[in-house]
Amino acid sequence: MRYYIETYGCQMNVYDSGKLAEMLKENSFSETPNPGEADFILVNTCSVRQHAEERALARIGELGRVTEKTKAVLAVCGCMAQRLGPEILKKRGVDIVVGPDAYSVLLPAFEKSRATDSKTLDTTRNPGFRFRVSSDRAGQGLRAFVGIMKGCSNTCSFCIVPAVRGPAISRPHKEVLEEVRELLDGGARDITLIGQNVNAYGDEELSFAKLLAMTSDAGPGSRVRFTTSHPKDMSESVIEVMAERENICEHLHLPLQSGSNRILERMRRGYTTERYREIVGAGRDLVPGISITTDLIVGFPGETLEDFKKTCAFVEELRFDSAFMFKFSPRPGTEAASMRDDVPTLEKERRLSELIHIEQRVSWDRSAALVGEVMEVLVETEKKKGVERFLLGRTRCNRTVRFSGPGELVGKFVNIGIDSSKGISLFGSLVHG
Ligand code: SAM
Ligand code: SF4
């Protein structure tokens, strides 16, 4: 049996898709990159913005036409499955729709669909549901995510995540560390602890700072990262752990959303730009070379030109290493969806392109400033482009670096002298010795 999987959205979905793939492989499936050859097609979806939903719906339509021809089983998983269950099940060619707490029904539903051509819908909420941790993680790749919590208990007024993923639930730390060890034993060298708001982690008395330190102890000689941090819950103790531990990478993804306190309040983010500036200051003071990345939304309801200019000025001041930038997208059922969406679409687009322009200039300058440095790089892959062969690796601050070298270096840490930059990517050469 062969499966094909397509993933939309955040790292949480990438992690879940990895687990789905693991579950299928344990049940004698093998992966195919071609949906036309698959017996089981899975689409793991995202509801965070309307655009993400539209793209996934269009793709589900295309894949539905494929499965009608090939008689493969088509399953839709993830946040859209949870939010729009029955509506998606009506789509042509769709056989199974399951929400994130119901993945254990996938295999029985696949068998049932093949045997009787019947459909399955399961959007049951099961706060205790977790994928079983497999004991053999060999060949999972050099980079691996480890989920430390699911859901989110914040009330950001624009966000649909709490509605589709439920409240924040922290995974027991023993289970997290067990998965980290299995991944390291299987060859992973760059582990990222993930959750929507990792700083809210709490397993009995154990805080995120403590879990981070324990993860660092579990993998001496391997890299440890984490995402996403929330400025409201970010504590200086996490920055101290980063500063103390050699193997915790110098990267902090800290979504700002807006540079205007008035808009941050309407977004119910629970911090001010002053507090945000303080955290970034502590990071840059205590962790030399730290890369700070962020998320920004333009055109939130009530955002005046003055509020938007504050965001632009804050980006110029804080000089982010990179940013994901979005137009506000009203999500059904959220508090912001009932506010007057008063920034016209064309103006949202204009603000977005102005912000992207400013942010890119800042980020590209920060990359250019790394030229001349020698950086530790984990070699991730060898690529071919025409007759050219080159290696791609990742710095501790999460930038990709392209350089020449033998393929045997894949999986190793090397020192690379940075010769040039293009956008946020770096180009360099091996430093021997
Ligand atoms: N949990 C993370 C946090 O609080 O920073 C982010 C989670 S969300 C999946 C990723 C990003 O999508 C957010 O940081 C925000 O910038 C963006 N986003 C979420 N809802 C949005 C909406 N309704 N419209 C536009 N962007 C949105
Ligand atoms: Fe959404 Fe806010 Fe939770 Fe992030 S912290 S997932 S933006 S509600």
Side-chain angles (χ1 to χ4, degrees), residues 113-130:
S113 175
R114 277 170 66 89
T116 63
D117 212 14
S118 60
K119 294 187 178 235
T120 301
L121 169 69
D122 197 334
T123 50
T124 318
R125 283 246 179 257
N126 177 4
F129 173 72
R130 297 193 292 271

Side-chain angles (χ1 to χ4, degrees), residues 152 154-156 158-159 161-162 196-197 230 269:
C152 180
N154 281 346
T155 53
C156 303
F158 52 80
C159 185
V161 169
Q196 292 296 351
N197 174 10
H230 194 297
R269 289 287 289 177

Side-chain angles (χ1 to χ4, degrees), residues 9-11 46-50 151-152 154 156-161 195-198 227-231 253-257 267 269 271 294-298 300 324-331 334 336:
C10 65
Q11 280 141 332
C46 168
S47 285
V48 165
R49 282 168 295 278
Q50 193 181 337
C152 180
N154 281 346
C156 303
S157 60
F158 52 80
C159 185
I160 201 160
V161 169
Q196 292 296 351
N197 174 10
V198 291
T227 197
T228 297
S229 291
H230 194 297
H253 185 66
L254 192 67
L256 167 67
Q257 313 301 359
M267 287 176 164
R269 289 287 289 177
Y271 54 86
T294 199
D295 294 351
L296 297 158
I297 298 178
V298 301
F300 186 80
F324 295 109
M325 290 164 277
F326 311 103
K327 279 181 294 185
F328 168 69
S329 164
R331 306 311 295 130
T334 60

Side-chain angles (χ1 to χ4, degrees), residues 22-42:
E22 218 172 87
M23 177 177 83
L24 292 168
K25 283 180 190 152
E26 278 176 6
N27 285 278
S28 316
F29 281 81
S30 58
E31 188 170 9
T32 166
N34 178 0
E37 287 175 355
D39 303 286
F40 196 8
I41 297 182
L42 300 98

